[in-house]
Amino acid sequence: MIFHVLTIFPEFFRGPFEHGVIQRARESGAVDIRIHNLRDWTSDRHKTVDDRPFGGGEGMLLKPEPLFQAVESIFPQSQPASRTVLLSAQGRLFNQNAANQLTAMTELLLICGRYEGVDERVAEHLADDELSIGNYVLSGGELAAAVVIDAVARLLPGVLGNQSSAVFESFQAGGHAGAMLDCPQYTRPAEYRGWKVPEVLLGGNHEEIRRWRQRAALEKTARLRPDLLSHARIEH
Ligand code: SAH
């Protein structure tokens, strides 16, 4: 899958994609991440990307022309399996479901806002979708773009070493747990500072372990994320 990122801070992405799973996925060719500098699509000497809001108010907005030019040159024709997404605090909430849906795309272009945001015509007429990564305001869309790419990329075939590992995770409705949190996990030592790993996990009874994990996941979800339980599908 090809991810395009449109940003005024291309250097921002030197770090986030150069470690672990995502780095290996880039090396293997499973994902290709292309960072585009918005200023390359400006036409004035100062490479201006922002302007003052009509009607007054604080700060500056990303102006429409460079954004339209950039997206139309990255995607000269609209293709059914490509999507342009504006990262925005006002967007639909990005979640595991949205990540799963985006894996069906062959190309995804993420527009990073800055300053006080982006001229609304970009959301209305250029982006196919407007996504928020949570109910808080960031100073730019770059961190949000990195979050979306990471969450989508690790779901792609061949990216995680063990194919089932993405299925049995938090929020992943295809897993044993329904759409709830993953179960608590432990590694050695079996006792640390007097805190013991649950006995059942030390034995080899797979059926008992499966049931314990399901109960523990449910208990943790009820405690920390009761909002998820209305959607959970519990198997017995
Ligand atoms: N004035 C806007 C916030 C602008 S923040 C408002 O109140 O809604 C500047 C940029 O950061 C936005 O254009 C967007 O691209 C990005 N951003 C901020 N919060 C975000 C969030 N929760 N999810 C995704 N992108 C976000």
Side-chain angles (χ1 to χ4, degrees):
M1 181 166 175
I2 303 175
F3 296 92
H4 299 273
V5 181
L6 190 54
T7 172
I8 60 168
F9 295 126
E11 329 76 57
F12 182 96
F13 294 95
R14 291 241 178 90
F17 305 128
E18 288 171 14
H19 308 277
V21 165
I22 303 300
Q23 166 72 354
R24 280 198 303 279
R26 289 172 56 214
E27 284 165 4
S28 77
V31 309
D32 179 358
I33 302 173
R34 302 183 189 171
I35 310 298
H36 305 271
N37 187 345
L38 181 63
R39 291 191 200 276
D40 292 346
W41 283 277
T42 52
S43 46
D44 64 312
R45 205 157 53 87
H46 301 291
K47 298 187 182 294
T48 308
V49 290
D50 59 330
D51 208 338
R52 288 191 303 276
F54 278 122
E58 289 295 307
M60 303 294 270
L61 297 175
L62 287 184
K63 58 207 244 91
E65 303 95 315
L67 288 163
F68 274 80
Q69 296 279 347
V71 173
E72 286 164 2
S73 95
I74 295 166
F75 288 156
Q77 294 122 12
S78 91
Q79 300 141 13
S82 66
R83 184 153 303 172
T84 301
V85 169
L86 173 65
L87 280 321
S88 157
Q90 300 148 32
R92 287 193 303 128
L93 214 51
F94 177 73
N95 57 18
Q96 193 67 17
N97 222 5
N100 278 311
Q101 283 170 11
L102 288 173
T103 60
M105 299 292 130
T106 54
E107 292 193 56
L108 178 64
L109 194 166
L110 300 166
I111 301 174
C112 305
R114 272 279 157 180
Y115 313 118
E116 287 305 310
V118 180
D119 185 288
E120 188 66 16
R121 286 166 290 192
V122 170
E124 283 176 1
H125 305 294
L126 184 64
D128 303 307
D129 211 346
E130 197 175 348
L131 291 181
S132 161
I133 63 160
N135 296 337
Y136 37 76
V137 178
L138 301 166
S139 49
E142 286 76 9
L143 275 171
V147 165
V148 170
I149 291 174
D150 191 292
V152 174
R154 64 197 297 289
L155 295 174
L156 295 171
V159 169
L160 289 186
N162 177 353
Q163 264 306 287
S164 66
S165 37
V167 176
F168 296 103
E169 282 185 318
S170 300
F171 313 115
Q172 202 71 29
H176 53 60
M180 56 181 181
L181 302 179
D182 198 0
C183 60
Q185 307 255 40
Y186 300 86
T187 182
R188 282 181 291 188
E191 181 170 344
Y192 179 64
R193 296 190 174 180
W195 300 304
K196 291 186 179 146
V197 169
E199 197 67 35
V200 55
L201 298 178
L202 306 178
N205 186 330
H206 295 300
E207 181 51 26
E208 255 180 49
I209 290 173
R210 191 190 67 79
R211 276 207 301 268
W212 180 88
R213 286 184 164 158
Q214 179 141 30
R215 251 195 334 272
L218 180 60
E219 186 278 328
K220 189 163 184 183
T221 309
R223 187 158 45 88
L224 297 181
R225 293 296 307 274
D227 56 300
L228 293 176
L229 282 181
S230 50
H231 307 294
R233 180 173 45 79
I234 315 291
E235 288 166 23
H236 294 287

